[in-house]
Amino acid sequence: MFRSRAKEEKAPVADQAAVNLSKQPRDPQAPKGRPTPKRSEARSQRRSVATTPTNRKEAAKRQREERRAQMERQRQALASGDERYLPPRDKGPVRRFARDFIDSRFNIAEFFLPMAVVILVLSMVRVGALQSIALLLWLVVIVLIVLDSIVSGFRLKKRLNERFPDVSKRGAVAYALMRSLQMRRLRLPKPQVKRGERP
């Protein structure tokens, strides 16, 4: 009779809220409406909340550290051949096969740098006959590298079409030929097959 109107107005709103909440699905064993998280989940959530950067300087520092860690993982992957952390240009079974194909054979192109040094030394000697030999060697080396690259490219393309008929092989031959120009010990990712071994 002497109840205040404010209490009467609040009561139906509270009843409606209780009704609305009861419609939501609840775990019967969890009276608070959700299951208690496991300790490991709670810790990881607390850790993620605690580790979020508070200002721009901290965010930049964290980004640098993450980039450094990613680069370290990538460097180790290039040394070990771990597919998970390789750069995008080296990932995938097609690229791996192309690498193995080149690493399993002798390529004239991989000896280009040592031969170029020898030819350069010969061309610097002030003897006409040696300079003529150096020029001739340049021509021979370039012709041999071009022929070897053409043969390797055709063979690799054929093997890729046999091995991966339904997969995109775009850029794989060019990737392999660029690898063949590097000396074997300087190649990254490191060779995973021995010479003469079929990939």
Side-chain angles (χ1 to χ4, degrees):
M1 191 168 134
F2 294 109
R3 283 186 297 178
S4 67
R5 285 185 185 170
K7 285 182 183 175
E8 286 175 5
E9 287 170 2
K10 282 179 187 174
V13 172
D15 292 343
Q16 285 174 359
V19 169
N20 289 343
L21 288 173
S22 66
K23 287 178 185 175
Q24 294 176 351
R26 258 181 78 214
D27 188 357
Q29 293 178 343
K32 61 183 169 295
R34 60 180 172 78
T36 304
K38 291 181 181 175
R39 183 175 292 180
S40 59
E41 290 173 10
R43 278 185 186 163
S44 66
Q45 286 174 358
R46 279 201 304 269
R47 212 172 283 140
S48 67
V49 169
T51 57
T52 50
T54 54
N55 57 20
R56 188 182 288 177
K57 195 174 179 182
E58 241 178 83
K61 185 181 176 187
R62 174 151 314 142
Q63 214 170 17
R64 275 197 307 275
E65 286 171 3
E66 284 172 7
R67 201 178 305 120
R68 199 175 292 129
Q70 187 180 357
M71 291 297 286
E72 179 62 26
R73 279 197 304 267
Q74 206 172 79
R75 191 183 62 75
Q76 288 174 355
L78 286 169
S80 64
D82 187 359
E83 284 278 332
R84 292 173 299 168
Y85 303 116
L86 285 176
R89 73 181 178 92
D90 297 312
K91 273 187 180 174
V94 173
R95 297 293 170 107
R96 184 179 183 103
F97 182 83
R99 285 197 304 271
D100 291 347
F101 180 85
I102 291 296
D103 295 337
S104 66
R105 54 196 307 273
F106 278 99
N107 302 288
I108 296 167
E110 70 182 278
F111 302 109
F112 172 73
L113 279 175
M115 285 189 288
V117 170
V118 170
I119 292 166
L120 192 65
V121 169
L122 285 174
S123 64
M124 290 172 74
V125 177
R126 299 279 181 181
V127 178
L130 286 177
Q131 287 181 339
S132 300
I133 291 169
L135 188 62
L136 188 65
L137 273 172
W138 263 125
L139 291 171
V140 169
V141 166
I142 288 168
V143 167
L144 285 174
I145 287 172
V146 168
L147 289 174
D148 186 46
S149 298
I150 290 168
V151 170
S152 297
F154 275 119
R155 284 184 181 169
L156 176 58
K157 200 170 190 178
K158 187 181 174 187
R159 294 284 304 279
L160 284 171
N161 288 330
E162 289 170 4
R163 184 73 73 91
F164 306 101
D166 302 325
V167 182
S168 171
K169 297 166 279 293
R170 188 178 173 197
V173 174
Y175 169 77
L177 293 178
M178 286 300 293
R179 186 175 176 84
S180 73
L181 285 167
Q182 299 168 328
M183 293 174 74
R184 186 180 165 87
R185 66 177 63 181
L186 301 177
R187 291 175 186 167
L188 288 174
K190 295 281 185 193
Q192 303 293 312
V193 293
K194 294 175 181 176
R195 288 195 197 272
E197 188 180 325
R198 271 178 77 88

